[in-house]
Amino acid sequence: MRAVVYRKPFDVAVEEVPDPRIEHPNDVIVRITSTGISGSDLHVYEGRTAAEPGTVFGHENLGIVEDVGSGVTGLEHGDRVVMPFNIACGFCKNCVTGLTGFCLTLNPQGIPLGVCGNSAIPPYPGGQAEYLRVPYADFNCLPLPAGIDHESDYALLADIFSTGYHGCELAGVSPGETVAVFGAGPLGLMAAYAALLRGAAQVFVADRVPAWLAMAREIGAIPIDLAQGDPVRQIKDLTGGEGTDRGIDAVGHQPAGAAAPDPALGRLAQIVRPAGSLGVPGHCVPSDPGRLSPALDAVFERGLRLGTGQANVKRYNRQLRDLIMQGRASPGFVVSHELPLAEAPTAYESVERQAEGFTKVILKPEAA
């Protein structure tokens, strides 16, 4: 089958790799119809992880069940399903309490990358490919309505929509509150969108990319342009000097070669009112300059609660799916491009350099 394969830093290719096969009775094989490029993928693309040449990318996967292991009870050939980026067993101590991002069976070290497409947690190739083996399939496959409706919306349940919602959960966003989100890329937009879904009264989104800020305005958030001056002062002025109740650091991926940590969390620690709370769903890797440590003094001094860690997708994806099904949520607005799998190398290059017009890219293995 064809798959997107890591060759070396800043070099990916679409190559022929072995087809996946049923290896355990609770496996299924899924024919991939949509698979996203994530900010986490960029860490691998830039050579900043343990990924080795030959690693197959892709942890945001949606498709059709093609083959079913003998132990699978809840899925059938032809079912349309979406998989969480952090596949999990469903029965360990963390999974049964909803902490599936830290499954003690498949990810006992809590490595903050999707299991699929991350060579640090073998042997699970990613889904930027024509087919994908899904282990513990009864737990990891979320059934979707048949057909092709809302394909881009449902694909975002695998990671970015669920992770944006997770950022609100980490920060404790409640109805009527004010929220500051730093980063207006796909994750920041999803965090802002989720905050509005949860009933936030005002959501401020800070970034310096005009097109992303325009999208924030379109969903009902208040854009804060970093090019227009100190965002702390801008948001304080718009909240009568009080600041916000909650803050979400959705910066995530920092460009390769960044010499200093992104100041988002430190700024949020000054924006959020004393005894408020912060959520950090944005992915960090050890090669990033320390994003958290410079802000911890302010977090302590102001009595802020701080929630961190990758999303427990299974905790949210069923409810978020139902919001899409009922027309209450349409997260696919963030998708700027749907491209054939063959265009993955160009797509990666464009996403990495934040080319104009690119926000979220969905790859389509079945497209010509």
Side-chain angles (χ1 to χ4, degrees):
M1 69 173 182
R2 295 175 305 137
V4 180
V5 174
Y6 174 71
R7 296 170 64 176
K8 62 182 180 180
F10 301 96
D11 184 3
V12 301
V14 178
E15 298 179 354
E16 293 289 326
V17 303
D19 291 346
R21 59 183 178 83
I22 299 291
E23 299 180 19
H24 184 277
N26 203 15
D27 288 349
V28 299
I29 304 299
V30 173
R31 171 172 51 86
I32 298 298
T33 58
S34 292
T35 176
I37 295 179
S38 165
S40 301
D41 289 323
L42 297 183
H43 287 109
V44 182
Y45 175 70
E46 295 169 353
R48 300 162 69 189
T49 72
E52 298 178 354
T55 296
V56 177
F57 281 87
H59 57 263
E60 297 181 322
N61 305 309
L62 181 154
I64 307 298
V65 175
E66 286 287 301
D67 197 5
V68 181
S70 61
V72 175
T73 61
L75 299 166
E76 298 179 352
H77 177 274
D79 285 350
R80 186 188 188 201
V81 294
V82 63
M83 285 67 67
F85 75 90
N86 40 24
I87 56 176
C89 71
F91 54 75
C92 73
K93 188 173 185 178
N94 280 353
C95 282
V96 297
T97 56
L99 304 175
T100 57
F102 302 91
C103 173
L104 297 173
T105 302
L106 296 181
N107 187 11
Q109 304 304 316
I111 296 172
L113 272 176
V115 175
C116 287
N118 173 20
S119 67
I121 313 175
Y124 302 107
Q128 288 177 13
E130 294 178 294
Y131 296 92
L132 175 70
R133 176 174 78 95
V134 182
Y136 301 100
D138 278 317
F139 185 70
N140 288 301
C141 290
L142 177 69
L144 300 171
I148 60 173
D149 289 346
H150 300 290
E151 181 89 357
S152 292
D153 291 321
Y154 289 135
L156 301 185
L157 293 170
D159 184 351
I160 202 73
F161 188 22
S162 299
T163 298
Y165 192 91
H166 180 61
C168 293
E169 191 78 2
L170 290 172
V173 175
S174 296
E177 293 188 323
T178 52
V179 183
V181 178
F182 269 64
L187 176 55
L189 290 169
M190 287 294 95
Y193 189 58
L196 292 166
L197 285 174
R198 288 168 68 108
Q202 287 184 302
V203 179
F204 304 93
V205 180
D207 208 301
R208 61 178 68 254
V209 179
W212 295 356
L213 292 172
M215 294 179 72
R217 180 182 288 109
E218 288 172 5
I219 63 171
I222 301 167
I224 301 295
D225 189 347
L226 297 177
Q228 298 302 311
D230 179 13
V232 178
R233 178 47 49 203
Q234 291 188 62
I235 294 174
K236 286 287 187 74
D237 287 346
L238 291 169
T239 56
E242 181 178 286
T244 63
D245 301 303
R246 315 293 172 199
I248 299 172
D249 178 354
V251 170
H253 168 261
Q254 287 188 247
D262 189 281
L265 189 61
R267 287 168 167 169
L268 283 168
Q270 299 300 323
I271 290 168
V272 173
R273 61 172 170 79
S277 56
L278 301 167
V280 187
H283 179 56
C284 304
V285 297
S287 59
D288 282 340
R291 281 179 49 209
L292 304 184
S293 54
L296 293 182
D297 285 345
V299 169
F300 178 84
E301 289 173 356
R302 296 171 63 80
L304 304 177
R305 287 178 291 126
L306 177 63
T308 67
Q310 64 179 347
N312 305 300
V313 173
K314 288 289 296 181
R315 196 168 191 165
Y316 319 117
N317 65 356
R318 186 176 297 272
Q319 295 95 320
L320 296 178
R321 176 203 63 184
D322 292 350
L323 287 174
I324 295 170
M325 289 174 61
Q326 298 303 320
R328 298 285 302 280
S330 300
F333 73 87
V334 77
V335 175
S336 60
H337 294 75
E338 295 184 357
L339 301 172
L341 193 71
E343 295 186 26
T346 301
Y348 265 92
E349 188 274 333
S350 297
V351 173
E352 198 279 332
R353 65 180 173 87
Q354 298 182 353
E356 185 175 354
F358 277 77
T359 50
K360 186 71 175 177
V361 173
I362 300 290
L363 299 174
K364 313 290 284 188
E366 297 182 332

